[in-house]
C-alpha cells in the first residue's frame, strides 16, 4: 500500500537526489510537472558564519510550490523530498535534520546508513522516510530501524549503484516487504517505468536523465556528454569516493586518467562532508547511470517529464490494453 503522499503523482516517478546537480530550480520544476523532486541537503553549502542555505532553499521551495498550487488547483505540484547522507563523515547531519524537521519536509530519503533517529525525526514532523539499499540484508535493516519505504538501487544506477540485477533485488525484497518500494538504475523511459511496476516496484526512481535538463546545476559539457553517451561509456569504479560508483568514461579521460585501467580505492577514503576526494569525484569525474542512451537532448525538466508521461501511457495502453 502506498501512503497518500506517493499515491497521487502524475506518473509513478520520484526524481532522485544528485550531489551538486539537484537544487531548488530542478526540484521546483520536477514537482510542478507532477513528479516528486528531491535534492541532497549537502548541496546547500554556505561559507562559515553564513545563515544555513538549506533553510533558504526549503523556504523558497515551499513558497513557489504553494503559489503554483493556488494558481493551478486542478494540477497541484507533487511533494518534494530531501536526501540525508547518513554517514559518519557528514558533520552537518544533526543540523540538517533539525532544519528539515522545522520545515516539515514531507519525504525524507536516507542513504549510506539507516538510523532510527532520522526516521523518528521524519515521522515526528508528519513525513515519511525512504531508505536506499543495494541488497536484501540492508533492506531488512532499514525497515527494522523504522524506514517506511525502500529504494532498491540496482546495477546500472548513477552514483553509488548496487551490483545486483533489478529483477533479483525487487524479487527478494517483495518476498517479505509489501510497503512502498522504489526501483532505481538506468530507468530513462516511460516504458521502463512501467517495467519497474511490472517487476513489483511501486515507483521508479530516476536520476541521470535529469542531468540533461536546463534546470540541472551541471556544466554545459556534462549535460552534453550525457546526451552523447550510452551504456558502453559508463565505467564502474571505487577509486573516486571509496565506494563503487558509475561514471562517464569521457570525463575520466578528460581528467587525464585511463577509464579502462583504474585502481581500486580504500573504503576509508569515503567522504561526504565536502572533502577533496568527493569534490573531485563529482565536480570533475561526472557520475551517470547506464540508461542515458535514451537521453538525446537538453530540455526543460517539464519536457522530459511530459515525454515520460506520454511514453508511460502509450506503454500501458500497448501492453495492458
Ligand atoms: C551525479 C549523481 C550524483 C548522485 N548523488 C547522490 C546523492 O548525493 N545522494 C543519493 O542518495 N544518491 C545520489 N545519486 C544516486 C541517485 O540518487 C539514484 O540512485 C540514481 O541516479 C538512479 O540511477 P539513474 O541515474 O540511472 O537514474 C547520484 C547519482 C548521480 C548520477
Amino acid at each position: 500500500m502506498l501512503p497518500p503522499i506517493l499515491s497521487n503523482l502524475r506518473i509513478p516517478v520520484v526524481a532522485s537526489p544528485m550531489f551538486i546537480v539537484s537544487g531548488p530550480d530542478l526540484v521546483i520544476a520536477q514537482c510542478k510537472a507532477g513528479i516528486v523532486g528531491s535534492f541532497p541537503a549537502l548541496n546547500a553549502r554556505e561559507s562559515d558564519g553564513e545563515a544555513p542555505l538549506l533553510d533558504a532553499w526549503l523556504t523558497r521551495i515551499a513558497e513557489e510550490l504553494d503559489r503554483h498550487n493556488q494558481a493551478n488547483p486542478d494540477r497541484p505540484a507533487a511533494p518534494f523530498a530531501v536526501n540525508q547522507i547518513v554517514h559518519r563523515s557528514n558533520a552537518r547531519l544533526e543540523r540538517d535534520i533539525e532544519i528539515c524537521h522545522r520545515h516539515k519536509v514531507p519525504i525524507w530519503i536516507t542513504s549510506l546508513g539507516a538510523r532510527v533517529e532520522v526516521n523518528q525525526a521524519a515521522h515526528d514532523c508528519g513525513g515519511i522516510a525512504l531508505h536506499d539499499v543495494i541488497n536484501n540484508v540492508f533492506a531488512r535493516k532499514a525497515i527494522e530501524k523504522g524506514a517506511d519505504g525502500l529504494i532498491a538501487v540496482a546495477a546500472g544506477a548513477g552514483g553509488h549503484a548496487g551490483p545486483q540485477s533489478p529483477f533479483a533485488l525487487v524479487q527478494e525484497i517483495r518476498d517479505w516487504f509489501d510497503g512502498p518500494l522504489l526501483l532505481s538504475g538506468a530507468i530513462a523511459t516511460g516504458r521502463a517505468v512501467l517495467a519497474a511496476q511490472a517487476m513489483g516496484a511501486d515507483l521508479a526512481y530516476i536520476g541521470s536523465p535529469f542531468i540533461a535538463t536546463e534546470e540541472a546545476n551541471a556544466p554545459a559539457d556534462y549535460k552534453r556528454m550525457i546526451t552523447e553517451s550510452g551504456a558502453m561509456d559508463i565505467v564502474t569504479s571505487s577509486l573516486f569516493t571509496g565506494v563503487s560508483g558509475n561514471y562517464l568514461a569521457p570525463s575520466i579521460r578528460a581528467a587525464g586518467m585511463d577509464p579502462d585501467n583504474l585502481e581500486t580505492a580504500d573504503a576509508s577514503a569515503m567522504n561526504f562532508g565536502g572533502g577533496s576526494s568527493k569534490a573531485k569525484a563529482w565536480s570533475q569525474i561526472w557520475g551517470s547511470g547506464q540508461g542515458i542512451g535514451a537521453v538525446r537532448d537538453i530540455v526543460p525538466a517539464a519536457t522530459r517529464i511530459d515525454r515520460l508521461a506520454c511514453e508511460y501511457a502509450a506503454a500501458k495502453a500497448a501492453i495492458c490494453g
Side-chain angles (χ1 to χ4, degrees):
M1 261 290 279
L2 276 184
I5 196 161
L6 294 175
S7 304
N8 295 317
L9 306 176
R10 178 179 171 199
I11 42 170
V13 173
V14 171
S16 67
M18 292 184 281
F19 192 63
I20 301 176
V21 175
S22 327
D25 290 346
L26 184 56
V27 171
I28 289 164
Q30 290 165 331
C31 294
K32 282 184 181 174
I35 68 168
V36 175
S38 73
F39 68 95
L42 283 175
N43 278 3
R45 289 178 177 227
E46 63 278 336
S47 311
D48 285 347
E50 277 178 4
L53 190 56
L54 181 59
D55 221 345
W57 280 15
L58 289 171
T59 301
R60 183 183 153 207
I61 291 170
E63 285 176 357
E64 288 210 26
L65 296 185
D66 198 41
R67 254 198 307 278
H68 171 90
N69 291 344
Q70 287 186 23
N72 305 278
D74 50 325
R75 46 176 192 90
F80 68 95
V82 179
N83 168 230
Q84 304 289 353
I85 303 287
V86 185
H87 184 260
R88 62 184 184 281
S89 65
N90 180 3
R92 282 177 36 170
L93 182 61
E94 221 170 290
R95 184 202 81 165
D96 288 353
I97 288 173
E98 185 276 314
I99 295 174
C100 288
H101 183 268
R102 183 155 35 84
H103 283 266
K104 297 188 169 48
V105 166
I107 303 171
W108 297 45
I109 294 173
T110 52
S111 23
L112 293 166
R115 289 238 295 260
V116 173
E117 61 273 29
V118 186
N119 296 326
Q120 278 171 348
H123 296 154
D124 192 57
C125 69
I128 62 162
L130 308 173
H131 185 66
D132 81 359
V133 296
I134 58 166
N135 62 41
N136 200 21
V137 171
F138 289 145
R140 282 187 189 276
K141 276 192 191 153
I143 296 303
E144 276 163 25
K145 291 191 173 175
D148 303 286
L150 296 167
I151 301 162
V153 183
H160 295 137
Q164 293 184 357
S165 151
F167 292 96
L169 190 52
V170 169
Q171 166 181 290
E172 290 188 9
I173 295 173
R174 265 296 177 237
D175 203 32
W176 59 273
F177 181 65
D178 62 3
L181 178 58
L182 286 67
L183 176 63
S184 103
I187 298 176
T189 63
R191 199 184 281 236
V193 173
L194 186 64
Q197 290 189 306
M199 259 187 236
D202 296 300
L203 303 121
Y205 190 69
I206 302 181
S208 302
F210 288 105
I211 299 169
T213 59
E214 287 172 7
E215 296 86 350
N217 181 36
D221 284 351
Y222 186 3
K223 296 182 184 184
R224 190 181 36 75
M225 203 179 280
I226 292 277
T227 67
E228 291 172 354
S229 302
M232 281 185 69
D233 300 301
I234 304 303
V235 174
T236 305
S237 172
S238 61
L239 178 65
F240 308 109
T241 67
V243 178
S244 179
N246 283 326
Y247 302 94
L248 284 157
S251 73
I252 297 173
R253 260 180 235 113
M257 284 173 274
D258 177 1
D260 299 320
N261 288 294
L262 294 171
E263 302 153 28
T264 49
D266 174 0
S268 63
M270 189 154 115
N271 190 318
F272 290 89
S276 59
S277 70
K278 172 87 170 171
K280 187 173 181 199
W282 307 105
S283 62
Q284 276 183 274
I285 311 294
W286 294 330
S288 173
Q290 291 177 358
I292 50 169
V295 181
R296 285 293 160 258
D297 49 8
I298 299 162
V299 291
T303 304
R304 182 123 293 136
I305 294 161
D306 288 347
R307 289 179 190 166
L308 282 172
C310 287
E311 292 162 1
Y312 178 74
K316 224 172 163 178
I319 294 167
C320 309

